[in-house]
Amino acid sequence: MSPPDPPRWRSFADLPRAHGGAAIRGRLRERPEDFLVDEVLGFEPDGEGEHALLHVRKTGVNTEWVARQLASHAGLPAAAVGYGGLKDRHAVATQWFSLHTGQQGGADWRALRVEGVEILAVDRHRKKLRRGALRGNRFRLRIRGLSGERDGLAERIERVRRLGVPHYFGAQRFGNGEGNLHGAHALFTGQAKRVGRHLRGLWLSAARSQIFNEVLALRVERGDWNRPLSGDRIQLAGSRSHFLAETIDEALRERTRTFDVHPSGPLWGSGELLTRGDAALLEQRVADSFAPWGEGLVSAGLRQERRPLRLEVADIEAGVSADDVLEIGFYLTAGAYATAVVRELVDWSSAA
């Protein structure tokens, strides 16, 4: 008996937009410097401890590769290196790395010669950096080759500032040609027999993210992605804590309007579905349409978690420069994708 065909999913480019079709078109990532990212830690370095804390600027290289180069230079195993999050390869990004060098140990970081890697600062810290140990990221993006109507851009920016954008997982989550989703389906249907731990983790995360995106896409189409429904799980901004919205009153609506709380969607796993009523029916319907995946995520030991459906876009500004390039700047909390913001403003294609 042949394995079941993969479920039909929506690619990132095909997900519905919350603020209507973009009137401006252009190209993103023609050059690494068109995508600037600055990582914002949620704490200050301790100034002492067994870990070297490096502030690094990387250009055109990925985070895991940089971590291996730093480990090699310090004569340490890769497991001794920590970082708070992955940064896009096709970008110029500053981020922090920790290396467990001991109280007195350490490398001569001034002697590091790795193309695409620049050490900006070195400090000491007591703990290894862990994934997610970030406050957020600041972005400055350039869109080239502009065409279309620009008159409505300021109004669109204001809508995004006031209402936020759908908190979609970006295309990079799913791999080149959405290979992580195809890999996940092969894993869940027994076609992938021997898979390394790292690759398996990528596939599981991609499947979970796609189910979330599908739920959010339906909420965007219904127009209730950014407002609470009875039976929703409401998530506190900047926290993993959430609660059941049994009744919707003006106090909850006001907290939602001011980005204090957000409606949330499922990160699938074992355990009871946390929503109730119409919200639960929608989430279960999506999971059922990805039946082998939901069951596979449960078997992999993942548990039900939540992610906000809405993303606040702070400090957003945009303008067209003298050389006819659209520049967009904004701040996002950790775990958010800049492309989820850009797609609400510009119909863009990527050179990367």
Side-chain angles (χ1 to χ4, degrees):
M1 182 177 178
S2 59
D5 292 333
R8 298 183 64 180
W9 63 72
R10 305 195 214 199
S11 297
F12 179 70
D14 298 327
L15 294 169
R17 292 174 169 84
H19 303 299
I24 300 177
R25 293 173 295 280
R27 298 186 301 275
L28 179 63
R29 292 196 183 102
E30 278 197 350
R31 311 165 192 173
E33 58 267 28
D34 289 346
F35 201 103
L36 305 179
V37 190
D38 291 316
E39 193 173 78
V40 180
L41 282 178
F43 55 87
E44 293 294 326
D46 293 328
E48 60 181 2
E50 295 190 352
H51 298 266
L53 194 61
L54 275 58
H55 196 202
V56 176
R57 179 186 290 121
K58 67 180 195 64
T59 302
V61 292
N62 69 47
T63 297
E64 293 171 327
W65 183 85
V66 173
R68 292 195 297 271
Q69 305 310 305
L70 297 177
S72 176
H73 181 75
L76 296 170
V81 183
Y83 46 84
L86 298 174
K87 295 292 177 286
D88 200 294
R89 174 183 178 183
H90 304 285
V92 177
T94 66
Q95 70 175 123
W96 295 84
F97 293 83
S98 70
L99 292 93
H100 190 195
T101 59
Q103 287 285 3
Q104 304 301 325
D108 181 4
W109 295 109
R110 294 171 298 180
L112 180 71
R113 298 291 183 269
V114 176
E115 185 175 359
V117 178
E118 178 186 358
I119 307 297
L120 302 177
V122 180
D123 214 318
R124 303 297 299 181
H125 200 59
R126 293 190 181 96
K127 297 180 180 179
K128 180 178 182 178
L129 277 182
R130 301 292 182 183
R131 295 289 291 273
L134 304 175
R135 179 173 297 163
N137 296 282
R138 292 194 178 278
F139 296 88
R140 181 154 292 276
L141 314 180
R142 298 185 179 97
I143 312 293
R144 302 181 186 273
L146 297 181
S147 63
E149 181 55 57
R150 307 176 193 180
D151 290 345
L153 178 61
E155 181 181 352
R156 182 69 65 96
I157 291 286
E158 181 55 35
R159 283 183 59 83
V160 167
R161 178 187 291 110
R162 182 166 50 87
L163 301 175
V165 300
H167 198 5
Y168 290 125
F169 286 98
Q172 56 267 54
R173 188 78 165 195
F174 308 110
N176 187 31
E178 299 177 333
N180 290 341
L181 294 179
H182 292 286
H185 185 71
L187 181 68
F188 297 147
T189 55
Q191 300 171 73
K193 300 297 184 182
R194 302 181 66 180
V195 182
R197 180 179 178 182
H198 177 70
L199 187 58
R200 180 175 180 271
L202 290 177
W203 290 355
L204 292 173
S205 293
R208 226 178 176 201
S209 301
Q210 187 63 37
I211 292 174
F212 174 89
N213 275 5
E214 299 283 347
V215 169
L216 177 50
L218 289 178
R219 294 283 296 254
V220 171
E221 289 174 338
R222 289 169 22 145
D224 54 24
W225 61 280
N226 62 347
R227 59 184 177 86
L229 304 177
S230 178
D232 259 334
R233 294 301 295 193
I234 305 301
Q235 190 158 345
L236 278 64
S239 169
R240 294 186 178 182
S241 299
H242 45 77
F243 59 90
L244 180 67
E246 299 182 83
T247 59
I248 309 300
D249 58 19
E250 185 54 34
L252 181 57
R253 294 190 185 97
E254 179 61 19
R255 293 183 69 187
T256 305
R257 281 193 293 267
T258 57
F259 295 101
D260 181 47
V261 297
H262 307 276
S264 70
L267 296 174
W268 208 261
S270 64
E272 181 184 3
L273 190 58
L274 299 173
T275 46
R276 299 289 184 270
D278 188 36
L281 290 174
L282 183 148
E283 293 175 8
Q284 189 64 59
R285 186 168 73 248
V286 170
D288 289 345
S289 70
F290 286 80
W293 296 19
E295 296 159 5
L297 291 168
V298 170
S299 298
L302 297 171
R303 294 190 58 81
Q304 288 278 351
E305 296 180 277
R306 306 298 294 184
R307 173 181 169 93
L309 294 175
R310 181 183 60 169
L311 173 62
E312 180 181 9
V313 186
D315 304 329
I316 184 169
E317 57 180 3
V320 179
S321 65
D323 53 354
D324 207 36
V325 174
L326 174 61
E327 297 195 8
I328 309 170
F330 49 85
Y331 171 84
L332 301 179
T333 53
Y337 288 79
T339 48
V341 178
V342 178
R343 71 192 307 272
E344 294 289 341
L345 304 172
V346 183
D347 185 4
W348 60 272
S349 60
S350 177

